[in-house]
Amino acid sequence: MSPSKMLTNGILVFVLSLAGLHAWAAEGAAPEGADPIDWALAQKQMASLSQMGFHPFLMPLIMENRDAIELTDRQLKIFRAWSNKNRVPLIAAMNKIIQARVAFQRISLNPKTTEEVLFAKQEEIFDMYRKVLKYQLSCRRNILDTFTDEQWDNFRFVLIENGYALD
């Protein structure tokens, strides 16, 4: 993917995520049992960034298949609370990575850029990836702590049906 397309996708995801915040903010005003989050839109937004790891990107899949997984209302609230707290900062962190990678490609093509500068810039990008990894591990922990054994079995079936390779 070209640097300009990565940046365009990153900006698009960011703009779409801001538009999606309205639905998230209105959650308290939604009828009981309604899901005000457009999970299909959330999945599209996350798809362009999913190469950086997928645990947070499993939430749309979990929510779309909540009946098959047999999630309780309490579990739905737990997942929504994690998403409300972490979704925007996670997307912002991933957009910073996209921008940094585009900038890195640009300066790496400049013959006057030294290896030391490139090394330092790459270290900055690695630090950003570590921040994203913390969100991913937090999401993973949230899923691990919330699912029952039976729900894990149900979710494994959903994952297999959606093309995920499992151990």
Side-chain angles (χ1 to χ4, degrees), residues 80-154:
R80 285 186 182 127
W82 187 94
S83 294
N84 287 337
K85 178 181 175 186
N86 297 292
R87 180 175 176 263
V88 172
L90 171 63
I91 290 173
M94 295 178 102
N95 280 330
K96 284 182 182 179
I97 292 171
I98 291 169
Q99 292 168 351
R101 287 172 55 184
V102 169
F104 181 87
Q105 279 186 325
R106 191 174 309 120
I107 66 170
S108 70
L109 296 174
N110 182 340
K112 294 181 181 179
T113 304
T114 66
E115 285 79 11
E116 292 79 14
V117 168
L118 292 173
F119 187 84
K121 293 293 182 187
Q122 186 61 55
E123 284 295 319
E124 290 174 13
I125 294 170
F126 288 153
D127 287 341
M128 291 180 214
Y129 272 106
R130 280 188 274 283
K131 185 175 182 178
V132 168
L133 179 61
K134 287 180 182 182
Y135 285 111
Q136 292 169 326
L137 294 176
S138 170
C139 183
R140 179 180 184 271
R141 175 52 45 203
N142 190 38
I143 295 168
L144 289 170
D145 291 345
T146 304
F147 276 2
T148 65
D149 290 341
E150 182 179 333
Q151 288 169 323
W152 269 113
D153 290 340
N154 295 343

